[in-house]
Amino acid sequence: MTDRQLSIILAVVYEYIKTGEPAGSRTITKKYIRGLSPATIRNEMADLEEMGYFYQPHASSGRLPTARAYRVYVDSVTTRARNHSREVDDIKKELIGRRSGIEDLLNNVTHLLARLTSCVAVAAVSSLDDTEIRNIDLLLMGGNNILALIVLKGGLVHHSQFTLPYEVDPQALEELVRRINTIAAGHSWSEVREVLYQYVSVGLEEAEASCKAALREVDNFLTQQNYRFFSSGARQILTLPHFQALSRLQAVLSLLEQEKPLARMVEKCKQSSNLKISLGDENETEGMQDNAMILIPARAHQQKAVLGLIGPLRMDYEKSINVLEAVVEALDED
């Protein structure tokens, strides 16, 4: 690709993002690339169409960008130096005094992101075994059924119900809970797991099998890739022309409801520790090939999190990336 072709791709994508209209050669020469004739631009655009960067909705219309062209544009945006100092200050003012625990914080963050970008905003708290435990309680619900209530740092509460293969004495269960909290409170599960298996059954020989089974259930729940999700903006995307096609809207709503595909994306972003942008066919989830998704790692109340935006391919990437990065900086300084 020549520098001229690169400039044309960037111009066509930018023009379409801003206006929603196909870009013709005259528009490109008047607004973006001066010194070249419309005929020259038109020939270059025809070549780029053959290369898969543009398409024409009608024979006589201008060109529209494909996902391949958006990728070129997004890569250009992400390599530019950015300064978010003013945005960070404004975002910190928005968030100060409006939350107590991590749930309130991430709820406010997703509402703020959705309002500033007109996209669906998502946030996910990282896997549970990396998070500091405040308290674990095991409640006998009748028979061999147990309800586990797990309170994490920041006030986040998770629960899981399971059935033990053995009967458990209520007093033995209370003693098990006391021993778990003696070791686990103030630490992450990953730090204390091995010690707990050795410690909790000492002196509980009569109930050892049931106590170990209960501990295994808690362990399984905390060590699986488990995320707490928050989202906002699903209603407001109904006003966007892109989502007038029901299939596109259903794909986004399904992604938010099922959570497993979203969890896989979040896990990849967390592992890479970098901004991750998926465009068109780069999205593995069924139905998301007409959409774009931006994810970025963050820290909220000292806990690992991921923030994201879901929107049309015709997303204002420059603004969206700036807003996301500014929010991450504001949270990091909190």
Side-chain angles (χ1 to χ4, degrees):
M1 183 190 302
T2 66
D3 289 343
R4 179 192 292 176
Q5 289 173 329
L6 174 61
S7 298
I8 293 171
I9 291 173
L10 298 180
V12 170
V13 175
Y14 184 83
E15 175 70 10
Y16 185 55
I17 288 173
K18 295 302 178 183
T19 68
E21 299 294 332
S25 56
R26 291 187 179 277
T27 299
I28 299 303
T29 55
K30 287 181 179 179
K31 297 175 67 173
Y32 303 103
I33 304 176
R34 301 184 185 277
L36 294 176
S37 68
T40 299
I41 297 295
R42 191 158 47 247
N43 289 336
E44 291 280 24
M45 292 172 79
D47 291 341
L48 288 167
E49 184 174 352
E50 290 183 3
M51 295 164 65
Y53 292 99
F54 299 147
Y55 71 96
Q56 280 185 293
H58 307 289
S60 59
S61 70
R63 263 75 173 187
L64 292 175
T66 63
R68 193 174 184 184
Y70 281 113
R71 171 50 62 192
V72 172
Y73 179 82
V74 165
D75 289 346
S76 173
V77 170
T78 55
T79 55
R80 300 176 203 161
R82 295 181 290 281
N83 185 347
H84 308 115
S85 56
R86 182 173 179 180
E87 290 91 341
V88 170
D89 290 340
D90 291 341
I91 287 167
K92 287 177 70 176
K93 290 176 184 177
E94 288 259 8
L95 296 177
I96 286 174
R98 294 181 57 192
R99 81 279 184 186
S100 53
I102 193 169
E103 291 198 24
D104 289 337
L105 173 60
L106 293 181
N107 270 321
N108 285 325
V109 164
T110 55
H111 281 90
L112 178 64
L113 286 171
R115 176 167 59 82
L116 294 178
T117 64
S118 299
C119 294
V120 173
V122 296
V125 182
S126 185
S127 54
L128 303 185
D129 70 331
D130 290 331
T131 306
E132 182 180 312
I133 294 169
R134 290 292 171 84
N135 186 72
I136 293 178
D137 203 0
L138 301 176
L139 305 175
L140 195 58
M141 303 298 291
N144 295 356
N145 297 315
I146 303 292
L147 175 65
L149 295 174
I150 301 163
V151 183
L152 304 176
K153 182 179 180 180
L156 206 60
V157 179
H158 288 264
H159 62 85
S160 176
Q161 189 165 334
F162 51 86
T163 301
L164 296 178
Y166 314 98
E167 289 186 8
V168 57
D169 179 74
Q171 291 184 337
L173 190 64
E174 289 180 10
E175 178 63 15
L176 173 63
V177 169
R178 187 190 69 77
R179 295 184 179 204
I180 289 175
N181 284 303
T182 298
I183 296 294
H187 301 278
S188 68
W189 188 258
S190 57
E191 292 176 316
V192 300
R193 180 188 298 113
E194 297 305 321
V195 176
L196 277 169
Y197 272 108
Q198 298 174 17
Y199 174 78
V200 296
S201 60
V202 176
L204 293 173
E205 287 80 6
E206 292 185 3
E208 182 177 356
S210 56
C211 287
K212 283 189 173 180
L215 187 60
R216 279 195 300 271
E217 291 290 347
V218 174
D219 189 13
N220 290 337
F221 177 70
L222 285 168
T223 54
Q224 65 182 323
Q225 291 304 332
N226 205 323
Y227 291 91
R228 183 69 178 271
F229 288 98
F230 306 82
S231 66
S232 182
R235 285 188 177 182
Q236 68 189 42
I237 66 171
L238 290 170
T239 62
L240 299 179
H242 176 82
F243 290 106
Q244 297 306 304
L246 187 58
S247 60
R248 294 172 179 168
L249 180 63
Q250 287 176 330
V252 173
L253 297 180
S254 177
L255 181 66
L256 297 176
E257 290 172 0
Q258 293 178 9
E259 292 190 354
K260 286 186 178 179
L262 188 58
R264 288 196 294 269
M265 297 179 194
V266 166
E267 181 62 20
K268 287 181 181 179
C269 177
K270 192 187 73 169
Q271 289 175 353
S272 69
S273 300
N274 293 314
L275 182 78
K276 182 175 177 58
I277 303 175
S278 301
L279 306 170
D281 290 339
E282 296 170 3
N283 290 306
E284 299 175 358
T285 306
E286 185 179 352
M288 286 290 291
Q289 286 67 42
D290 289 328
N291 300 314
M293 188 167 188
I294 307 175
L295 295 173
I296 188 170
R299 294 194 70 85
H301 284 335
Q302 304 307 309
Q303 292 181 226
K304 294 179 181 179
V306 172
L307 307 180
L309 294 170
I310 305 171
L313 276 173
R314 188 194 152 215
M315 182 192 296
D316 190 336
Y317 294 97
E318 193 161 9
K319 178 180 179 180
S320 297
I321 292 169
N322 283 338
V323 169
L324 270 175
E325 291 181 337
V327 169
V328 170
E329 286 186 35
L331 292 175
D332 197 45
E333 294 176 11
D334 188 22

